[in-house]
Amino acid sequence: MGGGSAIRQHKRRFLQGESEETGRKEECEEAYWMVKSFGECKVRETESGEYELVKGTTTVGIFSEACVGERRILFPLSHGMLLEVSNEGIREIATPDKAVLFGLISSDGSNAYYWRIDSKGRYHSEYSTRFYSENNELIELFDELFEKIYGLNPHHYVRKRNGLITAAIYSKGVYYDLSDYDVKTGAYEFRVPREHLDYEGKRAYLKGFFSGDGKASLTREGSLTIRFYSKCKEGLEGLRQLLIDLGFHPHEIREEREEPEGVVYWFSIPSREHMKFIEDIGSFKPRHREVFEEYGRLRGEEGERS
């Protein structure tokens, strides 16, 4: 490798694209042990215990940790993301925690950039990432995820007339990080970052979204309804595709007009897949969990009678 400094080449987020010096000087050729090979991508371990990812003749990055599996290797990145290397190539994927956060913000959240005029008529840029809910448990979940992923604690505001709680973070870095994945593209618009979700990420994203904009209800006869709602048809189509990826067969999207919301789109889960949804996806929302538990109890009683 010759003289000079070993440089970590992974581009960090939060608007920092500079290379980072490791502080380690290379005086001579370093020994390597091949860890895994995926086509033109190779991962090898150095004498110092680091992992070097090479694509062809180019060093993509040097990492201090790696999770080596049979079909892929995962390298931890910053802010709840992983670098996945497999036969399909290299991509960034969300951890389950980051995927839940994506889902919550896509459903009942916002990620916005706007200009504010102060008392002297000067313009100031504002960055805001928010989640809205009347449920304290969901707000607490949002807070925990933000502290774990970004090391930040959201501010809370309570609307007196209806008890709606707003959890808000004012961070340029968070705004741009989430914008990279188009998690929330407008007031009621969102895009499912399917290319950044593996199997567990898809389940986590759906659980997060359903906790915000999902419906679970039981009739007196014990019939269960599971539906996803949104004003964004394109985003809803993305949710359907995630469910199809996971082996579900969701019904087609339908629309209805509600006042004062206007047109709302929705689709439901077939009754034959209700238990699969409860076991594989589920919800963080207490009311949903109560419905699922009651449905399971009624199914158990029916099984005992038959």
Side-chain angles (χ1 to χ4, degrees), residues 5-178:
S5 301
I7 298 178
R8 298 190 185 279
Q9 299 179 33
H10 174 66
K11 182 178 179 181
R12 292 175 175 269
R13 292 197 171 274
F14 284 179
L15 307 180
Q16 299 176 28
E18 302 83 1
S19 299
E20 178 189 348
E21 293 282 353
T22 63
R24 175 165 52 89
K25 299 292 183 180
E26 301 297 342
E27 300 296 341
C28 59
E29 189 76 18
E30 186 168 11
Y32 292 97
W33 292 268
M34 185 62 65
V35 177
K36 209 85 171 176
S37 179
F38 301 97
E40 63 176 337
C41 295
K42 295 178 175 58
V43 177
R44 53 192 190 180
E45 186 176 357
T46 69
E47 284 183 308
S48 56
E50 294 179 314
Y51 297 88
E52 184 176 49
L53 172 60
V54 179
K55 184 175 183 181
T57 59
T58 303
T59 299
V60 177
I62 301 174
F63 304 87
S64 59
E65 298 178 40
C67 180
V68 181
E70 183 179 348
R71 298 182 179 180
R72 66 178 183 175
I73 295 181
L74 298 176
F75 299 103
L77 302 178
S78 60
H79 309 300
M81 299 301 293
L82 302 167
L83 191 68
E84 179 191 72
V85 184
S86 68
N87 285 324
E88 283 68 49
I90 302 174
R91 65 169 178 164
E92 286 189 25
I93 62 171
T95 62
D97 284 337
K98 186 71 170 278
V100 170
L101 187 65
F102 282 167
L104 289 173
I105 294 172
S106 296
S107 61
D108 281 339
S110 64
N111 190 49
Y113 163 70
Y114 51 91
W115 291 97
R116 178 179 61 83
I117 303 177
D118 64 18
S119 58
K120 296 182 179 180
R122 295 175 298 191
Y123 284 88
H124 297 272
S125 56
E126 294 282 348
Y127 301 87
S128 171
T129 303
R130 302 179 180 224
F131 179 68
Y132 311 90
S133 181
E134 297 176 1
N135 188 277
N136 281 310
E137 194 163 331
L138 292 184
I139 293 294
E140 289 173 2
L141 172 64
F142 184 80
D143 290 350
E144 290 170 7
L145 293 172
F146 242 94
E147 199 281 329
K148 183 175 184 179
I149 294 168
Y150 296 111
L152 298 173
N153 296 307
H155 301 277
H156 291 174
Y157 309 95
V158 181
R159 191 177 298 174
K160 292 183 179 180
R161 62 183 175 85
N162 58 7
L164 183 71
I165 306 169
T166 300
I169 286 287
Y170 304 100
S171 167
K172 181 179 180 179
V174 170
Y175 167 80
Y176 278 107
D177 182 60
L178 295 173

